[in-house]
Amino acid sequence: MIDYRKARYIISAPSPSKAPKDGKPSILFIGRSNVGKSTLINSLTGQKIAYSSKKAGKTKLLNYFLIDDSFYLVDAPGYGSTIYANLSTINFAKMMEEYAKDNFLRGIVLLLDLRHPLGEDDKKFLSYLQSLGKPLIYVVTKADLLNQSELSKAKRLAGEYGIPEAIYSKGDKASLDSLKGKIAKLVGK
């Protein structure tokens, strides 16, 4: 059993080449700016370990958090919606291409806010991630803000986008336990 409370910040790296070199596996958390990556990491660990901001685009580096001395949760910069969109988009694309080749990357947790349909950039990025051949865990964030009709619409959209078995995160124990179980399989715990 993984003890997520045994979590600590290790390093912020501008690229995967600057990541810890200890051979531990990693799980990358990725999604649009302000989708809730840091909030979800904080919920998993039960502590405010990842910085979250109401202002989009605050995370610029890959933030490595060691979990139970056995693997890393990596909080990636959000894509889109940043003040410096052109430079950030170029840097983000390079960062993701390099990370996709990382032998220690065991899987990607893709966070999506399906209160609204995905834009063309989102669809292209989703297709890119699906083409990498890395295991993907889909988490629909902010599900607690959806009424039954909106939740049905989000599930329909997920199906249209080819997103199987998404976790609809309400920050509750059931959705967190589901995510923990999927992560455990990827890191061999």
Side-chain angles (χ1 to χ4, degrees), residues 1 3 32-33 40 43 50 52 62 68 78 99 102 116 119 125 136 138 158 165 173 176 187:
M1 188 65 130
D3 185 356
R32 188 168 272 289
S33 296
L40 185 55
S43 294
S52 61
L62 295 164
D68 202 15
Y99 213 132
D102 188 312
H116 316 285
F125 186 61
L136 279 168
Y138 302 93
E165 301 179 27
K173 184 174 178 353
L176 291 174
V187 296

Side-chain angles (χ1 to χ4, degrees), residues 114-115 140 142-157 168 170 172:
L114 290 183
R115 293 180 294 172
V140 175
K142 305 178 185 184
D144 54 326
L145 304 177
L146 304 176
N147 62 34
Q148 281 303 109
S149 172
E150 293 166 328
L151 185 58
S152 293
K153 179 183 173 188
K155 288 180 178 182
R156 181 182 49 77
L157 285 173
Y168 290 83
K170 298 178 181 180
D172 61 331

Side-chain angles (χ1 to χ4, degrees), residues 60 79-94 121:
K60 300 284 187 215
Y79 67 90
S81 303
T82 63
I83 295 168
Y84 307 104
N86 291 336
L87 179 60
S88 292
T89 300
I90 292 166
N91 291 340
F92 180 81
K94 287 179 183 174
D121 287 346

Side-chain angles (χ1 to χ4, degrees), residues 66-81:
L66 184 60
I67 306 298
D68 202 15
D69 292 321
S70 60
F71 70 97
Y72 294 99
L73 292 183
V74 182
D75 187 7
Y79 67 90
S81 303

Side-chain angles (χ1 to χ4, degrees), residues 7-20:
R8 60 189 168 102
Y9 165 80
I10 300 297
I11 192 171
S12 293
S15 71
S17 64
K18 304 293 184 190

Side-chain angles (χ1 to χ4, degrees), residues 9-166:
Y9 165 80
I10 300 297
I11 192 171
S12 293
S15 71
S17 64
K18 304 293 184 190
K21 304 286 187 234
D22 55 12
K24 290 181 172 60
S26 66
I27 301 293
L28 180 66
F29 277 61
I30 195 163
R32 188 168 272 289
S33 296
N34 266 22
V35 74
K37 295 177 301 294
S38 300
T39 300
L40 185 55
I41 290 171
N42 290 339
S43 294
L44 284 170
T45 63
Q47 57 187 295
K48 191 170 173 85
I49 192 167
Y51 180 76
S52 61
S53 172
K54 296 215 183 287
K55 186 176 178 184
K58 283 297 220 180
T59 304
K60 300 284 187 215
L61 304 170
L62 295 164
N63 296 305
Y64 287 78
F65 302 97
L66 184 60
I67 306 298
D68 202 15
D69 292 321
S70 60
F71 70 97
Y72 294 99
L73 292 183
V74 182
D75 187 7
Y79 67 90
S81 303
T82 63
I83 295 168
Y84 307 104
N86 291 336
L87 179 60
S88 292
T89 300
I90 292 166
N91 291 340
F92 180 81
K94 287 179 183 174
M95 186 184 288
M96 290 304 101
E97 285 175 17
E98 184 179 344
Y99 213 132
K101 298 172 189 168
D102 188 312
N103 292 330
F104 299 106
L105 176 61
R106 295 295 183 261
I108 299 168
V109 177
L110 175 61
L111 285 73
L112 299 161
D113 181 353
L114 290 183
R115 293 180 294 172
H116 316 285
L118 297 181
E120 284 308 308
D121 287 346
D122 297 298
K123 291 176 187 175
K124 287 178 185 173
F125 186 61
L126 176 60
S127 179
Y128 167 73
L129 289 177
Q130 291 170 332
S131 75
L132 293 177
K134 297 283 185 181
L136 279 168
I137 299 171
Y138 302 93
V139 177
V140 175
T141 59
K142 305 178 185 184
D144 54 326
L145 304 177
L146 304 176
N147 62 34
Q148 281 303 109
S149 172
E150 293 166 328
L151 185 58
S152 293
K153 179 183 173 188
K155 288 180 178 182
R156 181 182 49 77
L157 285 173
E160 288 175 14
Y161 301 137
I163 299 171
E165 301 179 27

